Amino acid sequence: MPSRRTLLKAGATAAAIGAGSGVGTAAAVSEAERPNQLVGAHYYPWYGPNSHWEYGYVGTPQLGEYDSGSEAVVREHMQMAARAGIDWLNVAWWGPESYSVDVLEDVIAPTLAGSALRFAALYETLGRFERTDGIINLSASGPRATLAADFAHIAETLVSTENYLHVDGRPVLYIYVADILGGDIEGAIADAQQDAGVEYYLIGDIGRTAVLPHPVFDAVSPYVMYRSAPGINDWFESYVEQRYRGWHLLAEETDFEFIPNTMPGFDKTGSRRFDGEAVLQRSPERYERVSRLAAQYATGDPEMVLITSFNEWHEFTAIEPGDAYVDTYLGITDRVFSAPLTGPPKIPLVPLAFRWDNYVAESAVNPEVAPGAGRRLTIAVYRLSCLDSDGRQLAAYDIGTPTAELITTQGVAQAESHSTRSWRWFVANRNMVSTLYLPESVASQTHTVVLSCRAPTDGFAFTLQLGEEGRRASVQTDRGWDDVSVQVASQDREPETTTDERTESEQLSSEAPSATEREQTAVSSDGVGILPSVVAAGAVAAWLIWRGQDE
């Protein structure tokens, strides 16, 4: 059977969207129709005398505490990459004055010349920009100037080298934590590329949950699927597959490619910056299964996957040989990605779309968020139930719980949690739509959808649509957790709306609430804080601080 390295795309991939009310993932296609695949790995050239090893790490590199600037080390890594079937290294780029960029320009690029191994730049946003309220404001002159100078420097020093990776005839540039870019993203990127004289193939690192990427990005790829949460070793694989289904569906719905990630584990306990993050134990068996998921759910031609990481030892995500496991992860990588390609399993799904007429800026209800920053909030949902025409429950889904959620594609934020429940904010993207997917077996019998939710302010209206038939209903939610029932009956019946405590409320006002209202919004009657996120905001913020101090 042909391997991924010999398969060329012979025809169009089968459409992902099914007929009628059901929506399926990409249909299985013959091997001859499968596109080629490129396997990449995030690579860190920051190690050296008095550089990075002192931060601490778990495990023992087979090469010891090496110097990334050694040509001999680079050649050893090239041989390891060849044994793993890795096609390209996504090399961390921390700025013109950094040690790692000196190594990249003066050692890595020249040493790779003439080989089959390619490389691209991983643009380390956290090391290049100051953040305001967690956002890099690309409307400001300082960040725009930095972006333009950096894009030009990469173009001048790396893009023209022999082994720089190109896709669709354009040089690849990976933007780390791209979801914290704000302001005039499109204008800043366009100006930077024009000044550099290069149109990059831009890959955005955009979180773990499928969200509609900014149109400047050609592809998205989450840097890690890791999440610091209890029980992660029990549910990680199912969590990854569910998220990859969502990304794959969203890629089919819109116009971008999805580059899945695979990783052997995550463990910062040996780092001096360890802050209590949960450990995802290293497991060759799980790495192989997650790698197969990555191969299945990749889109595009060529299909691309990324490994986190080749040699990030501080978080112990490295597949680089170590004394404890030698070439184990290299062998798995080669075996998985050299196998004949198969598409994702075909699962009949039906979209459940929330169409927003308006939203509330997060800054209007949370004084800690600056105006213009934050999310465009609609409702927070912690549970969704489907009832049949007799009121019997067909299925119930805990929103925000890794093992009990629906597949989401756009307009749904990262999970947040409290000791008593988890939830997700549904947010208004540029399409003003949030989409989840129900199994067709459930959707076909669903008469009523019950949302356990709350809105950021009084009198919030939206429209719900199940499937392709346009069954809609306008509903309103009052402040506080409430069960909102939406009847999604057949087209010829007028939909009805009920709530447990129904009162007439005026439509959403654009005015910011008072201080008292803000306090009521932040803490519900049962003491559950809504806007603060224990898991998503706290753990991720701490991780971003760690990543931003690496150079």
Side-chain angles (χ1 to χ4, degrees):
M1 300 176 73
S3 75
R4 66 177 178 86
R5 301 192 184 281
T6 60
L7 294 175
L8 298 176
K9 191 169 186 179
T13 303
I17 306 301
S21 64
V23 174
T25 54
V29 295
S30 70
E31 290 170 6
E33 293 176 319
R34 295 292 295 172
N36 211 1
Q37 190 168 54
L38 290 175
V39 178
H42 297 301
Y43 184 89
Y44 294 89
W46 53 28
Y47 302 108
N50 303 314
S51 178
H52 264 268
W53 293 116
E54 72 273 15
Y55 292 162
Y57 55 94
V58 177
T60 305
Q62 198 174 62
L63 298 181
E65 293 189 351
Y66 54 79
D67 182 353
S68 295
S70 164
E71 181 180 334
V73 168
V74 173
R75 292 196 179 280
E76 287 275 6
H77 284 170
M78 290 172 64
Q79 292 176 12
M80 295 173 185
R83 295 202 298 274
I86 291 172
D87 301 298
W88 61 290
L89 299 177
N90 204 37
V91 186
W93 194 94
W94 287 91
E97 307 303 322
S98 66
Y99 174 72
S100 61
V101 171
D102 287 344
V103 169
L104 174 55
E105 293 175 1
D106 299 337
V107 182
I108 295 175
T111 304
L112 263 56
S115 74
L117 184 61
R118 285 162 284 178
F119 75 96
L122 191 170
Y123 187 60
E124 294 278 6
T125 52
L126 299 182
R128 300 302 297 150
F129 301 98
E130 295 292 330
R131 301 187 296 283
T132 302
D133 296 304
I135 299 297
I136 297 169
N137 182 10
L138 290 181
S139 293
S141 58
R144 288 178 80 101
T146 297
L147 186 77
D150 289 350
F151 275 31
H153 187 95
I154 293 169
E156 293 167 5
T157 60
L158 298 174
V159 166
S160 61
T161 60
E162 180 180 345
N163 287 61
Y164 200 90
L165 179 66
H166 287 65
V167 171
D168 290 344
R170 293 180 287 152
V172 170
L173 185 60
Y174 182 101
I175 309 295
Y176 181 61
V177 287
D179 45 5
I180 67 170
L181 298 179
D184 183 17
I185 301 172
E186 189 167 4
I189 294 286
D191 289 349
Q193 295 198 111
Q194 183 175 6
D195 291 348
V198 170
E199 183 183 356
Y200 288 104
Y201 184 91
L202 291 175
I203 303 173
D205 164 27
I206 305 182
R208 297 175 299 270
T209 299
V211 295
L212 189 65
H214 194 282
V216 300
F217 294 106
D218 299 282
V220 298
S221 181
Y223 176 78
V224 290
M225 292 303 294
Y226 166 83
R227 161 181 179 184
S228 184
I232 184 172
N233 291 283
D234 298 325
W235 46 256
F236 183 70
E237 289 173 57
S238 58
Y239 171 79
V240 169
E241 182 166 20
Q242 184 186 55
R243 295 299 178 273
Y244 284 179
R245 282 201 189 109
W247 276 115
H248 192 275
L249 282 166
L250 183 56
E252 295 290 348
E253 291 172 8
T254 54
D255 185 25
F256 71 93
E257 304 301 347
F258 176 50
I259 303 173
N261 160 272
T262 184
M263 57 191 300
F266 188 99
D267 185 351
K268 282 177 59 177
T269 56
S271 168
R272 72 184 188 191
R273 293 171 177 171
F274 174 62
D275 194 27
E277 295 90 345
V279 173
L280 177 62
Q281 299 290 349
R282 293 176 75 90
S283 164
E285 295 78 16
R286 182 174 57 223
Y287 175 69
E288 180 162 352
R289 292 191 294 268
V290 172
S291 295
R292 293 191 188 282
L293 291 176
Q296 285 181 334
Y297 284 96
T299 69
D301 184 8
E303 291 184 350
M304 304 168 73
V305 297
L306 271 165
I307 300 163
T308 304
S309 62
F310 186 88
N311 63 336
E312 218 292 12
W313 287 92
H314 305 303
E315 294 169 351
F316 205 27
T317 60
I319 65 167
E320 176 186 4
D323 285 352
Y325 52 85
V326 198
D327 274 16
T328 298
Y329 292 99
L330 301 185
I332 293 171
T333 303
D334 183 55
R335 180 168 65 252
V336 170
F337 296 112
S338 291
L341 295 175
T342 59
K346 187 175 182 179
I347 301 174
L349 299 170
V350 179
L352 181 66
F354 296 74
R355 303 189 182 280
W356 312 110
D357 295 329
N358 40 39
Y359 60 86
V360 175
E362 190 170 6
S363 59
V365 292
N366 184 356
E368 296 182 0
V369 176
R375 300 166 293 183
R376 307 199 306 182
L377 303 178
T378 60
I379 59 174
V381 181
Y382 75 85
R383 190 173 177 84
L384 185 151
S385 303
C386 298
L387 310 182
D388 66 13
S389 58
D390 294 324
R392 292 173 298 197
Q393 181 172 287
L394 299 167
Y397 306 94
D398 291 331
I399 307 300
T401 302
T403 55
E405 282 196 283
L406 291 165
I407 294 170
T408 63
T409 56
Q410 56 179 312
V412 183
Q414 300 282 8
E416 306 181 26
S417 68
H418 183 271
S419 58
T420 59
R421 62 167 59 107
S422 61
W423 64 88
R424 290 183 186 269
W425 278 103
F426 287 26
V427 294
N429 58 23
R430 66 177 182 273
N431 290 343
M432 298 293 285
V433 172
S434 299
T435 309
L436 299 84
Y437 281 83
L438 294 174
E440 188 176 47
S441 58
V442 173
S444 63
Q445 303 178 66
T446 295
H447 180 269
T448 301
V449 173
V450 181
L451 301 168
S452 300
C453 62
R454 69 175 296 172
T457 189
D458 285 334
F460 199 84
F462 60 93
T463 301
L464 190 64
Q465 176 179 341
L466 177 63
E468 306 291 337
E469 300 301 323
R471 295 179 284 180
R472 303 171 185 236
S474 295
V475 303
Q476 292 184 319
T477 59
D478 297 326
R479 179 174 286 116
W481 290 111
D482 196 10
D483 281 351
V484 175
S485 298
V486 182
Q487 182 176 309
V488 284
S490 60
Q491 286 183 307
D492 56 2
R493 180 183 301 177
E494 287 294 323
E496 301 172 1
T497 301
T498 63
T499 63
D500 288 352
E501 300 177 6
R502 201 68 237 147
T503 59
E504 291 297 325
S505 303
E506 62 183 22
Q507 291 293 321
L508 175 66
S509 170
S510 59
E511 297 179 357
S514 66
T516 301
E517 288 174 319
R518 284 198 300 266
E519 181 178 355
Q520 291 171 345
T521 302
V523 181
S524 65
S525 60
D526 60 5
V528 178
I530 301 304
L531 292 174
S533 168
V534 176
V535 173
V540 171
W543 187 57
L544 294 183
I545 291 171
W546 145 253
R547 298 294 306 177
Q549 295 175 346
D550 281 340
E551 277 281 348

